[in-house]
Amino acid sequence: MLKFLTVIAILLLSQLAFGQSIPCIGELKPYQGKPTIFLNGQPEAPIFYALTDVPGGRWSWEEIPQYNLRNFCEAGIRLFQLDIFLEHLWPAPGKFNLDLAKKQIRGVQEVCPSAAVVFRFHLNPPKWWLDQHPGEQVAYEPGTPAELFEPLRLGRIVQDDARLPVRVSLASEKWRKDASDILARFCLEFSKTPEGQALIGIHVACGVYGEWHQWGFIEHEADFSPPMQAFFKKWLRGKYGTDATLQAAWNDPSATLETASVPLPSERLIANPSLFRNPESEIRIADYYECQHELVADDLLFFCKTVKENWPRPVLTGAFYGYYFSMFNRQAAGGHLALQKVLNSPWIDYLSGPQVYYPDDGYDPGEPYRSRSLVRSVLLHGKLWLDEYDQQPRRTFPVLNGKDNSEQYRKNMQENIAALCRNVLSPITQGAGLWFYDFGPGGMNLHKNNEHDIQSGTNGYWDHPAYREEIKALKSLADSLLHRPWQLAADVLLVYDTEVFYHLKSTRQDTCPITHQVTDWLPLAFFYAGAAFDAVHLDDLGLVDFSTYKAVIFANTWLLDERDRHLIREKVAKEGRHLFWVYAPGFSDGKALRPEAVSDATGIQLERIFYEKTPAVQAKPDLFYLPKQTAWKALDPLFAIRDPGAEIIACYVHDASAGAFGKKEFPDYTAWYLSIPPVGALWWRYFFQQAGVHTYTTEGVAYAGNGLLVLHTKTGGQQQLLLKNGKTQELELPDGPATVVLDAKTGMQLLKKD
């Protein structure tokens, strides 16, 4: 019997390998301590290749896309992502057609018969639908109409998403019903086709570039449409129930559930100089933003649920969501702040997003590559995080403009391969994955063109033998890690909150600099300090095993309730751990602003001070010298250490008696208070040394996890890595950007080239 079953299994696998119609089942399950993609019951390394939505590169059956699909298949990639839009299936009222979806799958199978495909399914309603239902369109702030962009040539369907396009309101019930009906029909009918046997997942997409951002959010405010006005009222009824409860919460006797309206941009501005909204007078604004974010989360989960309930086999569902870093300091206007709602949902398997683009151009060789989200939180909830790696290698050629360019060509190739290795292994060390998103076949070159580009035609971003060889080696390494027990390596935990953004300055006119420093610059300092760290959501501290962490940095936990405080006291402030509190922890509890609560949270006596200029911090010269640390402008609130039991590490330049940075010893832990976020690596090297945090390097960027230690360096040459076991590893690298991969325990170099 066992022999018979073995033969059957071999036959099924053989049929699958040759592209026959055996259903390929995609699932996400825990394996070896982390969320893992399974294909027909077997774990698969989470590395995809994805075509773009740009004309010329979007159709899998065309020459250049097929050429690149084949190359990635030969490099060992089996997972692929392709775009399909609602209008491709629903071209006119009453019409439904699966032909393009079928051709997309067949195009991949022609060059990779064993391919497993995820559709990026764009739920933007077709133009004809928007024309028929003008009342369902998004409305920008009064006086700012949507702009109708008439294309001069064939363009992307999402081409104008980042401007003020004519788009559907994400609150439209009519859109949700019509789009879900088409999505459900697609699932039921496409799953029965031969091509549908290769589909393992659907990535639901809408909002700016399909990434679930509010339309126009970077520069403008939304949504003032009738659907959003109706949804806000409905949401308020669910939260408050009665007019009396609403009036008490808003401190407004005239407020009613029937007349409540979406706040105007002028109302969203903070009238006082404080960074914080006052919950006693501005809770209406916080309510609106919370409502807006819950709406977006509800939308994407609704469509994921539609997929799960209508696809007749197990299927992966995912979405762009969970962006935290590199959000233009516009988190409230268009970020992803209802993260816990999404992570707690059974309807979604993976979250995803592009790598961080700024600050310091994270995609440049020699700089730290960073994922966009609080990846540790995603994994703690049993979901998978996938980076979208969409950056083109810097292009150059051995002969340029008729002249020998071989030396520059060699240097550029070295830089590109170093960045490629870094970008793939960064998410892998975190227990996450990625896809290569290839704008190249669509003719999109992000860097300078030259004569050779014109002569050679359009290429894929990674269309070079050296890149293909590196990708093949990286995929092989990822495969080898699949069956190892997952190993955490970080001993620093960086804690962030999302809810706090509802209570902070958020509009473009009054954007707060300190949130940008804490969110985007602080992690960079950790990288430059040579430490490995994890990023987690405040609400997930109860899920964290703190035994591996020596330092916990509370970055923007400025909104704390008693539950948060209790958990931190009982679980975090233990075992000799060092707790670093940044700026104003607990200043708000969502009901009132409480300056005294900052002292309660930190355990250090603090005094609220007022200073009209930019605060600058200077380290005490008898400890160590560091340049002045400044914020961008005057801050309110601002606090100084006034605790005789605390050791002052740095003071304000304008008042040497006012402690700006300091620490206080407690029996079970050490508390640090940092009045403004230190964003220099020298600060954090000192702090980490005090906390006993392991630093791997002082010359480059280290990634550690999953049994790997990855060093990425801008300078190359002689490098020294300190392993956690105390062993020093000497490395001799070529000059210039380089990435080296080691076994974290033995220090043995992996992927070593002859």
Side-chain angles (χ1 to χ4, degrees):
M1 182 66 177
L2 180 62
K3 183 176 180 181
F4 172 76
L5 292 175
T6 302
V7 170
I8 293 297
I10 292 172
L11 288 173
L12 289 174
L13 290 172
S14 299
Q15 287 178 302
L16 181 64
F18 287 98
Q20 298 184 22
S21 297
I22 304 298
C24 190
I25 295 174
E27 299 174 275
L28 190 77
K29 298 189 288 187
Y31 182 66
Q32 297 290 12
K34 66 180 186 299
T36 303
I37 291 175
F38 278 74
L39 297 182
N40 291 344
Q42 296 299 311
E44 181 73 20
I47 301 178
F48 293 67
Y49 174 70
L51 292 180
T52 179
D53 64 285
V54 177
R58 59 182 172 172
W59 301 131
S60 63
W61 62 86
E62 294 182 340
E63 180 183 17
I64 294 173
Q66 275 211 341
Y67 171 78
N68 288 283
L69 289 163
R70 180 187 292 109
N71 285 339
F72 274 84
C73 185
E74 292 175 353
I77 306 295
R78 184 184 175 187
L79 303 173
F80 297 89
Q81 185 190 100
L82 309 171
D83 284 70
I84 198 80
F85 282 76
L86 208 58
E87 64 188 64
H88 296 144
L89 310 170
W90 193 27
K95 294 190 176 181
F96 182 77
N97 194 311
L98 293 173
D99 288 349
L100 277 174
K102 292 178 182 178
K103 288 181 71 174
Q104 280 284 60
I105 299 286
R106 289 199 300 268
V108 181
Q109 291 178 322
E110 286 172 5
V111 292
C112 191
S114 63
V117 177
V118 171
F119 270 150
R120 184 183 297 190
F121 199 108
H122 294 265
L123 293 153
N124 305 33
K127 184 178 182 300
W128 64 260
W129 188 96
L130 288 170
D131 290 342
Q132 284 189 357
H133 306 286
E136 306 298 320
Q137 296 175 13
V138 65
Y140 304 104
E141 57 257 40
T144 306
E147 302 173 17
L148 183 60
F149 303 105
E150 293 293 342
L152 301 176
R153 54 191 178 276
L154 181 64
R156 303 172 70 187
I157 295 174
V158 299
Q159 182 70 43
D160 301 307
D161 272 8
R163 299 164 73 179
L164 293 172
V166 176
R167 295 289 187 265
V168 70
S169 167
L170 297 179
S172 169
E173 290 288 345
K174 173 67 175 170
W175 160 68
R176 277 174 50 126
K177 182 184 184 306
D178 289 357
S180 65
D181 286 348
I182 296 298
L183 178 59
R185 181 176 178 182
F186 168 83
C187 290
L188 292 170
E189 296 186 19
F190 194 71
S191 62
K192 298 174 184 176
T193 67
E195 296 83 0
Q197 311 310 302
L199 194 71
I200 62 162
I202 292 181
H203 176 108
V204 298
C206 199
V208 175
Y209 297 138
E211 297 173 64
W212 294 106
H213 304 306
Q214 278 289 345
W215 310 109
F217 85 101
I218 297 179
E219 296 288 343
H220 297 276
E221 294 282 324
D223 172 10
F224 301 88
S225 66
M228 188 67 225
Q229 300 282 1
F231 184 85
F232 187 39
K233 292 176 182 179
K234 178 182 176 181
W235 186 89
L236 291 172
R237 289 190 191 98
K239 180 173 182 178
Y240 294 111
T242 67
D243 289 344
T245 308
L246 176 71
Q247 290 161 6
W250 285 9
N251 194 23
D252 180 0
S254 67
T256 70
L257 295 169
E258 184 58 36
T259 60
S261 61
V262 171
L264 296 171
S266 58
E267 296 174 291
R268 301 182 194 188
L269 290 168
I270 294 182
N272 58 64
S274 174
L275 161 62
F276 289 83
R277 300 188 188 282
N278 187 338
E280 297 177 75
S281 58
E282 298 180 275
I283 194 65
R284 176 184 170 223
I285 313 301
D287 274 346
Y288 171 69
Y289 280 127
E290 184 177 359
C291 165
Q292 175 179 286
H293 284 271
E294 288 196 5
L295 164 68
V296 172
D298 287 342
D299 280 347
L300 73 90
L301 293 174
F302 171 76
F303 289 115
C304 286
K305 183 173 185 283
T306 300
V307 172
K308 292 276 191 185
E309 290 183 335
N310 289 280
W311 194 264
R313 303 178 289 276
V315 63
L316 294 170
T317 52
F320 286 118
Y321 199 80
Y323 294 21
Y324 197 83
F325 307 107
S326 195
M327 278 300 300
F328 317 104
N329 221 6
R330 297 282 284 153
Q331 284 88 345
H336 299 154
L337 299 185
L339 181 61
Q340 292 297 309
K341 170 173 275 198
V342 173
L343 291 180
N344 285 317
S345 171
W347 301 115
I348 189 165
D349 296 306
Y350 70 82
L351 281 64
S352 58
Q355 74 282 309
V356 167
Y357 297 138
Y358 74 89
D360 274 17
D361 294 337
Y363 44 80
D364 281 350
E367 301 296 337
Y369 172 99
R370 288 101 70 201
S371 295
R372 200 69 165 267
S373 192
L374 306 176
V375 175
R376 190 74 198 119
S377 273
V378 177
L379 272 62
L380 283 170
H381 284 266
K383 311 299 183 186
L384 183 63
W385 175 263
L386 295 172
D387 277 357
E388 180 172 86
Y389 173 18
D390 63 1
Q391 288 301 301
Q392 175 185 10
R394 271 53 184 162
R395 305 189 74 180
T396 189
F397 300 91
V399 177
L400 191 61
N401 298 327
K403 298 179 181 180
D404 178 71
N405 191 46
S406 55
E407 181 58 23
Q408 186 61 43
Y409 173 74
R410 182 194 66 78
K411 290 181 179 178
N412 284 130
M413 289 301 298
Q414 176 187 322
E415 292 176 355
N416 290 341
I417 291 174
L420 170 61
C421 183
R422 172 203 63 186
N423 296 358
V424 172
L425 291 182
S426 170
I428 295 298
T429 59
Q430 297 179 78
L434 75 154
W435 62 71
F436 294 85
Y437 192 65
D438 201 347
F439 282 113
M444 184 178 288
N445 294 324
L446 301 183
H447 307 293
K448 291 182 179 179
N449 295 329
N450 54 57
E451 291 177 3
H452 195 99
D453 282 333
I454 297 170
Q455 294 168 7
S456 64
T458 301
N459 304 91
Y461 276 179
W462 298 278
D463 179 15
H464 190 285
Y467 303 153
R468 295 197 291 270
E469 180 184 351
E470 187 73 10
I471 291 168
K472 186 174 183 179
L474 290 167
K475 175 59 165 59
S476 179
L477 175 61
D479 288 340
S480 74
L481 299 172
L482 269 177
H483 305 290
R484 288 188 190 179
W486 167 250
Q487 302 172 57
L488 282 171
D491 46 11
V492 176
L493 186 66
L494 183 54
V495 182
Y496 283 105
D497 187 26
T498 51
E499 186 181 351
V500 68
F501 286 105
Y502 303 143
H503 300 270
L504 301 176
K505 290 186 177 181
S506 58
T507 60
R508 198 66 173 173
Q509 293 87 344
D510 64 1
T511 294
C512 173
I514 201 166
T515 55
H516 181 46
Q517 286 187 319
V518 165
T519 305
D520 295 324
W521 285 97
L522 199 60
L524 272 180
F526 290 7
F527 277 117
Y528 292 135
F533 65 95
D534 294 326
V536 74
H537 193 286
L538 173 66
D539 288 352
D540 293 326
L541 292 183
L543 302 176
V544 172
D545 176 2
F546 282 92
S547 62
T548 62
Y549 297 112
K550 295 181 178 179
V552 179
I553 290 84
F554 293 93
N556 72 339
T557 55
W558 309 327
L559 178 75
L560 293 174
D561 58 26
E562 186 49 42
R563 180 187 60 87
D564 299 322
R565 295 169 188 273
H566 177 78
L567 191 151
I568 292 166
R569 285 194 302 267
E570 296 301 314
K571 189 172 183 178
V572 187
K574 301 282 185 182
E575 301 169 335
R577 206 165 284 117
H578 286 244
L579 278 58
F580 292 82
W581 298 94
V582 179
Y583 185 52
F587 182 69
S588 175
D589 62 3
K591 298 178 181 178
L593 301 179
R594 299 175 54 221
E596 70 281 0
V598 182
S599 297
D600 293 340
T602 62
I604 300 173
Q605 289 304 307
L606 304 169
E607 177 189 359
R608 186 174 183 179
I609 63 174
F610 296 89
Y611 185 59
E612 295 181 355
K613 297 182 181 179
T614 299
V617 172
Q618 179 68 54
K620 292 180 67 174
D622 58 328
L623 285 175
F624 57 100
Y625 173 78
L626 288 174
K628 293 178 180 178
Q629 171 69 35
T630 63
W632 291 347
K633 58 184 177 181
L635 292 173
D636 181 42
L638 190 64
F639 295 90
I641 300 171
R642 302 293 193 192
D643 192 324
E647 178 185 354
I648 303 301
I649 306 300
C651 60
Y652 289 107
V653 172
H654 73 274
D655 182 356
S657 69
F661 297 171
K663 67 176 180 177
K664 187 175 181 179
E665 303 283 349
F666 291 89
D668 294 334
Y669 71 101
T670 300
W672 294 73
Y673 175 68
L674 311 174
S675 61
I676 56 178
V679 294
L682 287 176
W683 287 109
W684 286 103
R685 284 179 192 154
Y686 171 78
F687 295 146
F688 289 159
Q689 180 187 37
Q690 294 290 301
V693 168
H694 183 81
T695 52
Y696 293 93
T697 177
T698 59
E699 299 294 333
V701 175
Y703 301 94
N706 216 356
L708 301 180
L709 174 57
V710 180
L711 171 69
H712 182 68
T713 168
K714 185 178 292 187
T715 59
Q718 290 186 340
Q719 296 286 327
Q720 193 177 78
L721 276 174
L722 179 62
L723 306 185
K724 271 199 168 181
N725 60 15
K727 179 182 177 182
T728 299
Q729 195 77 5
E730 302 286 346
L731 301 170
E732 185 66 43
L733 304 176
D735 291 337
T739 301
V740 62
V741 188
L742 307 178
D743 181 283
K745 288 185 177 179
T746 67
M748 182 179 72
Q749 192 168 336
L750 308 175
L751 300 182
K752 191 171 183 179
K753 299 176 177 60
D754 297 331

